[in-house]
Amino acid sequence: MLTKEDFFKQFKNQSYVEQLKQIPQKFNVVHDEETKTTNITIYGVIGDAWFSDSFSANDIDQALNAAGTNDIVINLNSPGGDAFDGISIFNRLKRHNGKVTIHVDGYACSAASVIAMAADELVMELGSMLMIHEAGSLVWGSKRDMRKEADVLEELEEGIIDIYMTKAKVSREEIREKVDSETWFSAKKAVEIGFANKAEGSEDDELEEPNNIVNSVLDLEQKKNIINELKNTLKPNNQKQEPSPTSTTTVENKGNGSFNLLKKWR
């Protein structure tokens, strides 16, 4: 039986292990029939096959069956766990008839990163991280047993990379390299590579005004151009000028143009 300690020893980067161990185990489901939304909290280790205090693909299946066609909102904070449970949960979420939004509240590591790929919209909350790495297991036996297990792990990784490639904006070879080396993504980096749709609190979250807004603020150069146009168009009260069809037409065109520009200057 693989213990939690055995699981965390597989992490090449041990910097975050103590924090990951402190994630409280919590699985909670709330159905809101008024808004047709089901909120699911997934905190802690994944996979009943490994740990007694974890949740499994079976728990998710029951929750989604009860949700019907509700939209799903998942709050995720997990160090990962059983790869096959993670894959099962991914596929079950992908088949759900409703929008799936996943918020990474803290960590989405290992098998939890696979679950995150099922989101129609994946939101990395402020300070959150996502980690992908090689599949691992404990093997006891002969060299033949170990080689056979290595072959199984390689096939498992190919399937997991298939899942990552449903989101990734980079080549399969690059994703494989990141899996082999164990890669930790900040919220911003997760968005850049294509895994996430949004990083909360980043500069990209600021709303951009459309270019065609009429009452937009003009820059300094535009304001100077308007003032110069007004100076050329408006004449002093004591200046006498004989009106002519040509000059009248020119003034009206300039006047209308200046007035339209002034409407934008607010």
Side-chain angles (χ1 to χ4, degrees), residues 169-222:
K169 297 178 180 177
V170 297
S171 69
R172 187 181 186 88
E173 289 69 27
E174 186 169 343
I175 291 297
R176 183 180 285 107
E177 289 174 1
K178 292 183 182 300
V179 167
D180 289 344
S181 61
E182 184 180 289
T183 305
W184 295 75
F185 298 90
S186 66
K188 183 178 179 181
K189 292 295 184 182
V191 172
E192 289 177 357
I193 201 170
F195 288 157
N197 302 94
K198 182 179 181 183
E200 286 290 0
S202 68
E203 294 179 357
D204 294 337
D205 290 336
E206 296 179 3
L207 295 178
E208 296 183 0
E209 294 186 6
N211 293 328
N212 61 348
I213 292 181
V214 173
N215 292 324
S216 61
V217 178
L218 302 179
D219 60 28
L220 182 60
E221 187 64 29
Q222 288 174 309

Side-chain angles (χ1 to χ4, degrees), residues 91-149:
N91 286 312
R92 183 63 183 86
L93 288 169
K94 292 297 287 184
R95 292 197 308 271
H96 179 69
N97 292 322
K99 181 180 179 181
V100 176
T101 302
I102 298 179
H103 296 266
V104 178
D105 292 339
Y107 294 96
C109 302
S110 189
S113 71
V114 174
I115 294 173
M117 298 299 105
D120 297 311
E121 181 179 11
L122 180 62
V123 181
M124 300 292 293
E125 297 297 335
L126 195 62
S128 62
M129 297 191 78
L130 185 148
M131 184 271 275
I132 62 178
H133 67 167
E134 294 178 291
S137 67
L138 290 180
V139 182
W140 183 91
S142 67
K143 59 182 180 293
R144 181 177 298 178
D145 295 326
M146 294 183 181
R147 289 186 183 120
K148 184 177 180 180
E149 183 65 17

Side-chain angles (χ1 to χ4, degrees), residues 1-258:
M1 175 72 72
L2 186 67
T3 66
K4 279 188 177 181
E5 290 300 321
D6 293 329
F7 170 67
F8 286 119
K9 285 177 182 177
Q10 297 180 46
F11 287 34
K12 295 176 181 177
N13 184 345
Q14 292 284 305
S15 302
Y16 305 103
V17 165
E18 290 306 314
Q19 296 178 43
L20 293 170
K21 289 179 180 179
Q22 299 305 313
I23 297 175
Q25 199 71 32
K26 182 179 180 181
F27 180 80
N28 188 52
V29 182
V30 177
H31 304 287
D32 189 331
E33 294 307 319
E34 185 175 341
T35 61
K36 296 297 180 184
T37 302
T38 293
N39 285 273
I40 304 176
T41 297
I42 299 176
Y43 277 24
V45 182
I46 303 164
D48 279 347
W50 283 3
F51 313 110
S52 58
D53 58 344
S54 61
F55 67 92
S56 68
N58 184 56
D59 296 318
I60 296 294
D61 180 62
Q62 292 180 7
L64 295 181
N65 286 335
T69 60
N70 284 2
D71 288 339
I72 306 298
V73 177
I74 294 177
N75 305 301
L76 180 63
N77 184 20
S78 170
D82 188 282
F84 289 105
D85 269 61
I87 293 170
S88 296
I89 293 170
F90 165 83
N91 286 312
R92 183 63 183 86
L93 288 169
K94 292 297 287 184
R95 292 197 308 271
H96 179 69
N97 292 322
K99 181 180 179 181
V100 176
T101 302
I102 298 179
H103 296 266
V104 178
D105 292 339
Y107 294 96
C109 302
S110 189
S113 71
V114 174
I115 294 173
M117 298 299 105
D120 297 311
E121 181 179 11
L122 180 62
V123 181
M124 300 292 293
E125 297 297 335
L126 195 62
S128 62
M129 297 191 78
L130 185 148
M131 184 271 275
I132 62 178
H133 67 167
E134 294 178 291
S137 67
L138 290 180
V139 182
W140 183 91
S142 67
K143 59 182 180 293
R144 181 177 298 178
D145 295 326
M146 294 183 181
R147 289 186 183 120
K148 184 177 180 180
E149 183 65 17
D151 291 340
V152 171
L153 290 176
E154 285 184 355
E155 291 302 315
L156 173 59
E157 281 183 8
E158 288 302 313
I160 291 174
I161 292 173
D162 285 341
I163 292 173
Y164 291 142
M165 290 308 299
T166 63
K167 296 279 190 180
K169 297 178 180 177
V170 297
S171 69
R172 187 181 186 88
E173 289 69 27
E174 186 169 343
I175 291 297
R176 183 180 285 107
E177 289 174 1
K178 292 183 182 300
V179 167
D180 289 344
S181 61
E182 184 180 289
T183 305
W184 295 75
F185 298 90
S186 66
K188 183 178 179 181
K189 292 295 184 182
V191 172
E192 289 177 357
I193 201 170
F195 288 157
N197 302 94
K198 182 179 181 183
E200 286 290 0
S202 68
E203 294 179 357
D204 294 337
D205 290 336
E206 296 179 3
L207 295 178
E208 296 183 0
E209 294 186 6
N211 293 328
N212 61 348
I213 292 181
V214 173
N215 292 324
S216 61
V217 178
L218 302 179
D219 60 28
L220 182 60
E221 187 64 29
Q222 288 174 309
K223 292 177 181 179
K224 287 180 178 179
N225 289 339
I226 293 173
I227 292 173
N228 290 334
E229 186 177 355
L230 287 172
K231 287 180 179 179
N232 293 332
T233 302
L234 301 177
K235 302 296 182 181
N237 291 333
N238 61 355
Q239 182 175 344
K240 294 182 181 180
Q241 180 178 347
E242 292 296 329
S244 65
T246 303
S247 62
T248 301
T249 302
T250 303
V251 170
E252 286 179 355
N253 285 340
K254 287 185 177 180
N256 290 335
S258 299

